Amino acid sequence: MEHVIFVPAIYHIDEISQLASLLSFIDSRIAVKDKKIVLYLYSNRKVEDKDINYLRTLPLSQIVICKNELFSDWEWPYIEAITQHINTIKPHAVISTSSDFIKSILARVAARFSCGFAVDCTDLIFDEGTHNYSFLKPAYTGNINAKILVKNSSIVFATLKIKNVAECSFEAVDKKVEIVESLFEGLKPFSGKIKIIEKNLAQNIDNKLESAKIVIGVGRGIKDKENLKYAFELANLLNGAVGVTRPLVDMGWIDKEYQIGQSGKVVSPQIYFAFGVSGAAHHICGIGSPKLIIAVNKNKDAQIFKIAHYGIVADATSVMKSFIKAFKSRLKGC
């Protein structure tokens, strides 16, 4: 009997590199003879050939591309589609990336099947003998890894937060991957209890935080929302991305898409600048293992200095401005 793992993904939200990381991770953690990993890719437009060719190299048994114009920024069409596909393929587990949108969808789907749902997990443990799943998730501000068991569920639902594909032990798969393309027609607009009256789309965020080699991290130590512009200026100079601690999101200074940490994104930069970042465990658990950490904080006893390769005890914004000036001077002749 096949052990089926269903991986739902949204083409315009999930980065292909994130899917590569997730699939490589699942393949390495679930060692069972008759394993079948099926990727369902939901899209409201044509999936590009280069992305399909890349997906063919991943550890997959089958890729099903489902196209429907209703797959956009509303959860209901995905909930209906994923529910139908679960009833069709009858998976043992439903595992996906850990974006807020996907979590909102899978929480509702799991409720339909009266199943438990483990979210934002950082590791997966699979028992080959019993086929039981357990997951690890940071708790108590990252001081411990809590073990989560999904009991009495016919299907295990979970989302995983893992490092970028560059950090994964991944090799191209030689076996032929079956590609199924279908125009998914089992959806009717507004057949639920919700009707869209108006759409106000937020500005598209293209920060590329999870794939950035250089990340400019900022925390409350920058003191003022206006000072965020210096972080973006420095990131642009270094072809990097901006990441923030949770308090900046909670204060409404910046969108949650920029948040790094236990309740945000997990990144894997080579260089991490920490400007005004205290070094709380729930943020640090999201920065991976950079080759170089440069920290700037007015508090000489800040936790960030315990892991930094270079530390500067000074005003974070002032040093950021100095870095911008220095890099502009160095890069002028390049």
Side-chain angles (χ1 to χ4, degrees):
M1 181 178 178
E2 288 183 324
H3 186 85
V4 181
I5 301 105
F6 172 32
V7 180
I10 301 170
Y11 184 53
H12 73 282
I13 289 181
D14 287 318
E15 293 277 348
I16 295 298
S17 62
Q18 284 181 277
L19 282 177
S21 301
L22 177 71
L23 293 164
S24 177
F25 189 84
I26 292 171
D27 186 56
S28 67
R29 289 294 193 272
I30 302 175
V32 63
K33 184 179 179 181
D34 296 320
K35 173 177 60 183
K36 182 178 182 180
I37 304 176
V38 182
L39 171 67
Y40 272 71
L41 199 61
Y42 300 96
S43 179
N44 59 4
R45 59 190 173 91
K46 185 181 185 301
V47 177
E48 294 184 22
D49 289 341
K50 66 178 181 64
D51 291 330
I52 292 177
N53 290 334
Y54 181 64
L55 289 170
R56 286 180 187 272
T57 70
L58 304 182
L60 284 164
S61 304
Q62 186 182 57
I63 300 169
V64 181
I65 300 171
C66 301
K67 185 180 174 184
N68 190 295
E69 62 180 9
L70 293 178
F71 292 138
S72 57
D73 52 359
W74 185 31
E75 290 99 335
W76 178 81
Y78 300 104
I79 294 168
E80 290 296 313
I82 291 172
T83 299
Q84 288 186 38
H85 292 142
I86 288 174
N87 283 325
T88 299
I89 67 173
K90 303 188 185 309
H92 297 83
V94 178
I95 302 174
S96 190
T97 55
S98 218
S99 71
D100 289 339
F101 194 63
I102 282 287
K103 286 188 289 186
S104 178
I105 292 166
L106 291 186
R108 290 164 171 80
V109 176
R112 286 185 171 188
F113 289 92
S114 300
C115 293
F117 182 26
V119 300
D120 294 340
C121 302
T122 56
D123 206 349
L124 180 162
I125 302 165
F126 180 75
D127 189 313
E128 292 183 51
T130 63
H131 286 194
N132 288 334
Y133 287 78
S134 59
F135 302 90
L136 296 182
K137 180 178 179 177
Y140 294 103
T141 65
N143 289 314
I144 65 167
N145 278 323
K147 189 173 183 180
I148 300 173
L149 302 175
V150 182
K151 293 185 174 181
N152 303 320
S153 286
S154 56
I155 308 168
V156 173
F157 285 78
T159 63
L160 294 173
K161 298 179 75 169
I162 53 177
K163 295 179 183 179
N164 187 268
V165 68
E167 296 290 320
C168 293
S169 55
F170 172 76
E171 295 178 2
V173 176
D174 291 330
K175 67 179 182 179
K176 186 177 179 180
V177 178
E178 182 186 5
I179 307 288
V180 178
E181 294 193 49
S182 67
L183 185 62
F184 189 74
E185 298 177 338
L187 296 173
K188 295 180 181 179
F190 316 128
S191 62
K193 296 181 180 179
I194 296 175
K195 182 176 180 180
I196 297 177
I197 298 173
E198 183 181 5
K199 287 185 180 181
N200 290 306
L201 299 180
Q203 183 179 1
N204 185 42
I205 295 172
D206 189 21
N207 193 40
K208 298 181 180 177
L209 183 57
E210 286 145 316
S211 60
K213 300 301 181 185
I214 299 175
V215 171
I216 311 301
V218 291
R220 276 185 293 191
I222 65 168
K223 295 181 180 177
D224 195 292
K225 179 181 178 180
E226 291 299 313
N227 291 330
L228 277 168
K229 63 185 179 184
Y230 300 116
F232 283 98
E233 186 175 355
L234 183 57
N236 287 333
L237 278 171
L238 301 178
N239 194 28
V242 174
V244 304
T245 59
R246 180 171 177 172
L248 273 66
V249 175
D250 290 344
M251 291 187 291
W253 287 12
I254 195 166
D255 193 275
K256 194 177 187 299
E257 284 295 309
Y258 293 92
Q259 184 184 329
I260 294 172
Q262 185 176 332
S263 56
K265 293 185 175 181
V266 176
V267 298
S268 55
Q270 293 182 3
I271 302 173
Y272 181 73
F273 289 88
F275 292 101
V277 174
S278 64
H282 50 74
H283 174 75
I284 298 304
C285 71
I287 69 171
S289 303
K291 294 178 181 177
L292 181 63
I293 300 175
I294 301 168
V296 184
N297 200 298
K298 286 184 72 173
N299 178 9
K300 64 181 179 64
D301 298 318
Q303 291 292 314
I304 191 67
F305 289 132
K306 292 183 179 180
I307 63 167
H309 298 92
Y310 295 96
I312 303 171
V313 180
D315 177 72
T317 303
S318 298
V319 174
M320 205 166 1
K321 291 178 182 178
S322 297
F323 277 18
I324 291 169
K325 185 177 179 180
F327 281 117
K328 277 184 175 178
S329 178
R330 291 285 185 94
L331 297 171
K332 192 174 183 181
C334 295

